[in-house]
Amino acid sequence: MTTTLAPDTAATDTGATTTATATPVPATGASTSTTWTERTVESITRRLSSSRLGRRSFLTRAALVGSALAVDPVGFLIRPQSAWAAVCGLENECNQGWSAFCATINDGANTCPSGSYPAGWWKIDNTTFCSGRARYIVDCNRSPGASCSCRCANGDCDRRRVCCNNFRYGQCNTQVRGTTEVVCRIVLCTPPWEWGNCTTTSATSNGTRTHWSSRLPSRTDPTPITVKWLELGLTGSVLGDMASVERDGRRGGTWAVFDNGAMGSRNGSTHYVTGPHGDAYVDRRGAEGPLGYPVRDTSGNPRAVRYDTGSTYRAGNDVWAMDDGIDDYYRNWGEQSGWMGAPTDHAGPLRGPWRAGPTASGWWVVHNTDDGDTRPMRSIEQLDPDGVWPKTAVARRTAGDNRWDTAAAVSQETHPSGADTVFVVGDGRSIHTHAVPAAAARMDAPILFVRQGSIPSETRDEIQRLDPQRIIAVGTGVDINRNVYAQLNDLAPSVDRWADRRRIITAVEVSRGAFPSADDVVLTNDRSHRLAMTSSPLAASLSAPTLITSTSRLLPVVAQEIDRLGANRVTIVGNTSSVSNDVVDDLEARGLDVRRVSGSSDLTTTANVYNLIPSARIVVTEGDAFSNLVSAASLAVRRPLPILLVNENSIPNPTDQKILWRRPDIIKIVGHDRSVSHGVGEALKGYPAL
C-alpha cells in the first residue's frame, strides 16, 4: 500500500498522533502573465532584500546565494524562499513543526541517537541526492523507558524540533509497541526494508524534498562514496569522519580517507575497509596505489582483505600488502597458511622492472613487470636491473601413487636397462634396512618393497621389467614371510635371504654379502633410520659398507666385521648421544682412524654429512617417511648425491642453509606430494644456482 502525505496535513511529523492517511497533495503552479525572466529577477530581488538575509553582511549574503545556486539553482531562483532555505531546506525553523535531522543533534552522525530507535519511514520520489531514485527518511522515536525533552535543534542550518512530535508511521520495529516522540530523522537511499527491520508499506511526502541540514552532504549530485558514507551513518559510521576530500584513484575511480579507514568506488562498486587493514591500505596510497579498490566492505582485523589488484594480510600485530602478480602467486600457494608463511613487509619495487614481497619463510615473491612472470626466490641479491631472471635450481620429482610405485619409479630412473641383482625389503618401518643402500650401491642394484604376505603389483611389474638373475630379500619373516619368499623364486633364478632377528647382525650379514673388503666403514647407531639412510651416499662415495652399533659400546660382532673388511678408517655419523665417545675409544684402540660427522640433531647431522659429498645435484625427501627415505637412498647412492631432509610443508633451517651454500643446479625430490608438498617443491625451485 502507498500513502501520499502532504507536508501540511496531520500525516506529516508536525505533532499529529494519528496514523498516516492518504491525502491529496495541493495543486501548485498557478498561471501568471509575467515572463519567466521577470519572475526570476523579482525572486532574486526579493531574496536579497529579505529580513532573514538582512542580518548578515554583504559577503555572507553573497556566499550564501552562491551556495544556494550551487545546491538548488532552479528552486532558489523560482520558488519563494530565502538563500538560507535553499541551502537548508524549507521549514527549517522550530516553529514550522518538522523534526530535526539526527546529524544536526548527533555530532554529524546519521544514526539514531542513544535512547531512540527506528520507528517508521517515508520517501521522497526521484531525488537528485539518490541519483534519481527515492530518498528515504527514517524517524528515530524515543525508546520506551528513555527520557527526552522537547526543544529546538541548535544547528547552523537545521533548527527543527527535537523530541516534540508525538507521532509514528509505524513501519519499522513493529515489535516495539506504542507511540513516542520523534527524536530526529535520518536519511537513506537504500529502501528501509533492506536497511533495517522495516516493512515495505510505503508512505510518500514529496513536499519534504528540500529538507536538509548543514551536517549532511550536499544534496546535489553526491558521489557514490558520499551516499555510502551517509547510509553507514556519516560521523557515526565505522569509518568516522571524513579526513580528506574525495580524490581520483587509478582507472577512473575515486577514493577517500576517513578517521578510521578508507573507501573506494569504481564502476558502480563502492566498498570500505577499516582497522589495521584500512591503515595499511591508506599507507599504500589507497586507490592511487598498487592495491586498487576494495571488493567488499571490511571492518575489524580479519586474516586477509581483498582489493581488485591485491590484498592486505594480518601477520601478528602487523598488516602487510601484496599486490598484482605477487598477490596472485601468494594466494595460489596458501597465503599465511602456505609454505611461505605470512608477509613481513609490504610488497614494493626493486631496481629495474622488479617488484617483490618478503615472507616469513625467507622466500620472496618476485614479479617481473616486463614479462609478467612471478616466481619464488630465496635470495634477491642476483636480480638483474635489466630484467633478466637469475639462474635458479631445477626441481624434479620422482614419485608414484604409493610407496611401491615410488620405489619402482626410482628403479626405472636408476636402472632403465634392467639389473642383474635386486634388493627387496619390507614396506613397514623395517629394522633391517640400515645397511641395504650402501650394499645396493656396491652391487649396482635397485631397492624395491614387498608386503609381509604379498608382492604388490607395482613391485612385481618392476622386477619383471628389470629381469634380474638374483633377488636378495633382506629381513626376517616379520618383514618378508615364506609365501612372499616363494613368490620371489618365480621372478628370478636365484633368491637369497640376508637377515637376523637382531638388526645389528643383519647389517653385518649385508656387509659380508656385498663387500669382500673395504678401506672405509660408515658407522651409525642402531636406532636412527634417518641417519643410516642419509649417510648411505657418503658410504657409497667411500665404497664403504654401513654398519650399526649400540650407543654405548662397540659390539664384538661389529668389531669382527671391521677386522674382516681390513678397514683403516671409520666415519661415525651421529653425535655422542647416538654413538658415544667410548665407541670412539674402542675403535682407536684397534688402530683405526676415526672421524665424527655430527650435529645437535639428526637433521643437522644430515646437513653436515652433505658437506662431505661434492655434487652439483642433491636429493631431497621427507625425514619421517620410512619408505621415501629408502627410495631416496636408493637414488642417491647411484651417483652418489647428498640427501637433505625437509618437512611436508616447510624447509628446515639447516637444510635451507646448506642449499644456499651449495647452490645446486638440480634438486631431485623423492616422494609424493603427501610427503613433500607441492609448495615445498615450488620453493626448491627458488634457490639460486651456480
Side-chain angles (χ1 to χ4, degrees):
M1 178 182 77
T2 300
T3 300
T4 301
L5 305 176
D8 55 351
T9 68
T12 64
D13 59 348
T14 56
T17 59
T18 57
T19 303
T21 56
T23 305
V25 177
T28 58
S31 62
T32 177
S33 60
T34 58
T35 65
W36 185 89
T37 303
E38 289 171 340
R39 294 196 308 272
T40 299
V41 171
E42 181 182 356
S43 297
I44 293 174
T45 303
R46 185 167 56 250
R47 305 308 174 267
L48 290 175
S49 62
S50 67
S51 60
R52 183 180 302 277
L53 288 177
R55 67 186 180 212
R56 290 173 172 79
S57 69
F58 173 79
L59 290 176
T60 301
R61 291 199 299 272
L64 190 57
V65 170
S67 298
L69 287 169
V71 247
D72 191 14
V74 175
F76 174 66
L77 290 174
I78 69 172
R79 281 199 294 271
Q81 60 181 323
S82 66
W84 186 265
V87 175
C88 308
L90 296 174
E91 296 96 17
N92 57 46
E93 295 295 335
C94 192
N95 59 10
Q96 293 170 314
W98 293 90
S99 294
F101 286 98
C102 295
T104 300
I105 67 167
N106 200 21
D107 196 26
N110 187 44
T111 57
C112 289
S114 175
S116 67
Y117 71 101
W121 63 271
W122 78 86
K123 68 181 175 70
I124 303 153
D125 294 320
N126 189 29
T127 63
T128 303
F129 185 85
C130 295
S131 303
R133 295 175 286 121
R135 184 205 310 161
Y136 298 91
I137 305 295
V138 176
D139 279 340
C140 298
N141 281 43
R142 176 177 60 81
S143 300
S147 61
C148 185
S149 59
C150 177
R151 65 186 188 277
C152 298
N154 188 26
D156 292 339
C157 174
D158 171 20
R159 298 192 180 95
R160 299 176 178 94
R161 307 178 79 186
V162 179
C163 296
C164 298
N165 299 329
N166 194 303
F167 177 77
R168 182 177 180 183
Y169 293 139
Q171 311 103 308
C172 299
N173 292 301
T174 56
Q175 79 280 2
V176 181
R177 304 219 176 248
T179 300
T180 56
E181 301 87 350
V182 178
V183 177
C184 57
R185 49 185 171 156
I186 62 179
V187 185
L188 301 173
C189 291
T190 298
W193 58 89
E194 296 178 8
W195 168 82
N197 184 24
C198 300
T199 70
T200 59
T201 302
S202 181
T204 301
S205 180
N206 288 324
T208 60
R209 182 181 303 276
T210 67
H211 289 198
W212 210 245
S213 164
S214 61
R215 300 303 299 268
L216 294 170
S218 169
R219 63 178 183 267
T220 302
D221 298 324
T223 67
I225 286 178
T226 299
V227 174
K228 179 106 176 179
W229 182 41
L230 177 92
E231 299 205 329
L232 289 170
L234 298 178
T235 62
S237 70
V238 293
L239 289 164
D241 204 358
M242 188 176 282
S244 69
V245 296
E246 190 172 337
R247 53 185 184 260
D248 291 339
R250 299 166 57 198
R251 296 172 284 124
T254 60
W255 75 294
V257 179
F258 296 81
D259 286 345
N260 303 325
M263 193 185 309
S265 180
R266 181 175 180 267
N267 291 340
S269 177
T270 305
H271 297 286
Y272 65 84
V273 56
T274 69
H277 289 274
D279 293 340
Y281 181 60
V282 173
D283 187 47
R284 300 304 288 158
R285 297 181 294 114
E288 298 172 68
L291 291 170
Y293 300 85
V295 299
R296 62 180 61 88
D297 297 335
T298 307
S299 58
N301 194 16
R303 282 174 55 84
V305 172
R306 306 293 178 220
Y307 309 83
D308 62 355
T309 54
S311 302
T312 50
Y313 297 95
R314 172 162 47 88
N317 295 324
D318 298 314
V319 172
W320 304 114
M322 294 285 201
D323 56 72
D324 211 10
I326 294 172
D327 189 50
D328 292 340
Y329 183 94
Y330 185 66
R331 291 177 65 180
N332 186 57
W333 288 104
E335 303 173 358
Q336 300 104 311
S337 300
W339 65 269
M340 304 192 84
T344 56
D345 204 341
H346 295 309
L350 305 173
R351 292 187 306 161
W354 307 104
R355 292 183 60 81
T359 67
S361 62
W363 263 257
W364 294 74
V365 184
V366 178
H367 179 69
N368 188 323
T369 58
D370 282 349
D371 61 19
D373 195 8
T374 304
R375 304 178 189 177
M377 293 192 67
R378 185 61 182 83
S379 172
I380 60 172
E381 296 174 2
Q382 294 180 304
L383 287 176
D384 187 340
D386 292 332
V388 179
W389 284 98
K391 183 179 179 181
T392 55
V394 175
R396 298 172 180 166
R397 188 185 295 267
T398 301
D401 294 333
N402 50 52
R403 69 191 68 179
W404 315 291
D405 204 18
T406 294
V410 170
S411 173
Q412 291 160 21
E413 183 174 334
T414 58
H415 294 80
S417 301
D420 290 335
T421 303
V422 173
F423 278 93
V424 170
V425 299
D427 65 354
R429 295 189 69 89
S430 175
I431 64 174
H432 298 287
T433 55
H434 290 71
V436 173
R442 175 72 174 77
M443 301 179 70
D444 191 22
I447 305 171
L448 299 174
F449 294 111
V450 294
R451 296 190 184 98
Q452 181 192 22
S454 64
I455 301 176
S457 60
E458 296 87 345
T459 300
R460 183 182 296 275
D461 292 346
E462 180 58 15
I463 291 175
Q464 290 174 339
R465 186 195 69 81
L466 291 165
D467 191 24
Q469 297 299 303
R470 183 185 186 190
I471 295 176
I472 302 172
V474 179
T476 65
V478 173
D479 302 298
I480 305 170
N481 69 14
R482 293 179 181 180
N483 180 49
V484 172
Y485 193 80
Q487 292 177 44
L488 291 173
N489 277 283
D490 296 332
L491 298 174
S494 173
V495 179
D496 298 321
R497 186 192 293 271
W498 294 352
D500 186 270
R501 64 183 180 83
R502 294 163 294 180
R503 70 189 76 179
I504 291 175
I505 298 180
T506 294
V508 169
E509 291 293 323
V510 171
S511 175
R512 287 173 180 169
F515 292 88
S517 63
D519 288 335
D520 287 271
V521 169
V522 171
L523 184 66
T524 187
N525 73 12
D526 61 348
R527 299 191 310 271
S528 177
H529 194 77
R530 291 200 291 184
L531 290 182
M533 293 302 106
T534 56
S535 65
S536 58
L538 176 61
S541 71
L542 299 172
S543 298
T546 298
L547 295 176
I548 57 178
T549 188
S550 65
T551 297
S552 59
R553 66 191 184 96
L554 182 68
L555 298 180
V557 66
V558 177
Q560 291 168 10
E561 178 59 14
I562 293 173
D563 289 343
R564 184 197 69 79
L565 289 164
N568 297 309
R569 293 173 297 276
V570 175
T571 301
I572 295 175
V573 177
N575 57 30
T576 55
S577 27
S578 295
V579 179
S580 71
N581 285 328
D582 290 340
V583 175
V584 175
D585 293 341
D586 288 345
L587 291 168
E588 290 178 340
R590 303 179 73 85
L592 295 163
D593 291 333
V594 181
R595 66 173 173 176
R596 184 192 293 274
V597 183
S598 66
S600 59
S601 64
D602 285 358
L603 185 64
T604 53
T605 297
T606 296
N608 290 331
V609 170
Y610 177 89
N611 298 343
L612 302 178
I613 308 172
S615 174
R617 301 181 178 186
I618 63 172
V619 174
V620 166
T621 194
E622 202 261 316
D624 291 329
F626 163 81
S627 58
N628 285 339
L629 276 168
V630 175
S631 293
S634 180
L635 175 63
V637 297
R638 179 75 172 170
R639 293 203 52 151
L641 306 176
I643 298 173
L644 289 176
L645 302 180
V646 297
N647 302 320
E648 178 184 355
N649 293 304
S650 64
I651 301 174
N653 185 65
T655 297
D656 169 70
Q657 293 303 308
K658 292 302 179 183
I659 300 177
L660 278 175
W661 171 66
R662 182 70 61 87
R663 299 195 173 194
D665 56 359
I666 294 178
I667 300 175
K668 302 180 74 64
I669 304 168
V670 176
H672 193 275
D673 60 8
R674 291 185 297 270
S675 59
V676 181
S677 69
H678 284 306
V680 170
E682 186 75 3
L684 292 170
K685 294 189 295 185
Y687 281 99
L690 292 176

